[in-house]
Amino acid sequence: IWLELCRRSGINEILINVHAHSDAVRSYLTSVQNGVTVRVFDEPTLLGSAGTIAANRSWVSEEPYFWIVYADGLTNLDLRAMLNFHLTRQTAATLGVYEVPDPTRCGIVTLNEHGVVTAFVEKPDAPASNLAFAGVMIATPRLLEVLPEGAPADLGFDVLGRLVGDLSAYRTAGYLLDIGTISNYTQAQETWP
């Protein structure tokens, strides 16, 4: 689904990091030809979401912007609309955000009246809102400047809070479901359009 969404959105090269079930992922990728070039990055030791970006910094450092997506986010998000929004903002990154029923399970944002992120807290005990990071973002090389040294490192816990004030929030429209739990995966089987 993500490969097709990328192709339809004009994204022609992606990097997928693999750890568990890497053989299954590689097997699938060899059977699919949809016009998107895929690089596979093996992580025998988990680096974390920010650690993966740091390890592949040279792949994106010369780009004016690049996408970061969490594969367990099932969505039909209009990536072109999100990109157009990002290009008008000129922030270090634009986070896709959406309202969630249980904000203690997510990275939660607080926004000002201009849609700039004024706070980001990963899995807060006392959430300030129910507006969560959707696992889809557009970043610029400015994000690379705040990546921590060493791994594992996580975008939510270790990076996004460092960019508060230089992050925009794009409210997603359409279908979005974190399928990282069995119950949500089952729900996706019943509700995916």
Side-chain angles (χ1 to χ4, degrees):
I1 293 167
W2 269 113
L3 290 172
E4 179 59 22
L5 186 57
C6 287
R7 185 194 64 75
R8 284 195 327 251
S9 302
I11 299 167
N12 58 15
E13 186 178 3
I14 64 172
L15 179 138
I16 298 175
N17 72 313
V18 294
H19 177 73
H21 310 291
S22 62
D23 291 340
V25 172
R26 286 179 185 282
S27 176
Y28 176 77
L29 291 172
T30 59
S31 71
V32 173
Q33 301 298 320
N34 75 342
V36 176
T37 301
V38 179
R39 289 177 68 182
V40 177
F41 177 70
D42 286 297
E43 277 187 30
T45 301
L46 290 175
L47 302 176
S49 52
T52 299
I53 296 165
N56 292 281
R57 168 190 315 264
S58 63
W59 188 63
V60 294
S61 62
E62 299 301 317
E63 300 293 331
Y65 58 84
F66 53 94
W67 291 89
I68 299 169
V69 300
Y70 292 17
D72 60 357
L74 180 62
T75 187
N76 59 5
L77 176 65
D78 183 343
L79 298 181
R80 289 182 191 264
M82 185 172 169
L83 176 60
N84 290 337
F85 175 89
H86 171 75
L87 293 174
T88 66
R89 298 304 174 120
Q90 299 301 310
T91 51
T94 296
L95 305 179
V97 298
Y98 70 121
E99 292 183 9
V100 294
D102 182 6
T104 61
R105 294 186 55 238
C106 308
I108 299 300
V109 301
T110 305
L111 309 176
N112 69 15
E113 64 277 9
H114 304 292
V116 173
V117 176
T118 58
F120 182 95
V121 181
E122 184 68 26
K123 297 178 178 59
D125 292 330
S129 80
N130 70 336
L131 201 56
F133 172 43
V136 179
M137 69 186 291
I138 305 169
T140 68
R142 295 202 313 265
L143 177 130
L144 303 176
E145 296 169 9
V146 299
L147 292 174
E149 297 294 324
D154 183 79
L155 283 171
F157 285 109
D158 304 315
V159 176
L160 297 180
R162 296 177 179 191
L163 290 170
V164 164
D166 199 15
L167 295 171
S168 296
Y170 177 78
R171 290 181 184 258
T172 62
Y175 188 95
L176 182 89
L177 183 63
D178 175 348
I179 58 171
T181 65
I182 294 297
S183 62
N184 281 8
Y185 182 75
T186 301
Q187 180 184 346
Q189 302 304 310
E190 300 165 359
T191 60
W192 176 246

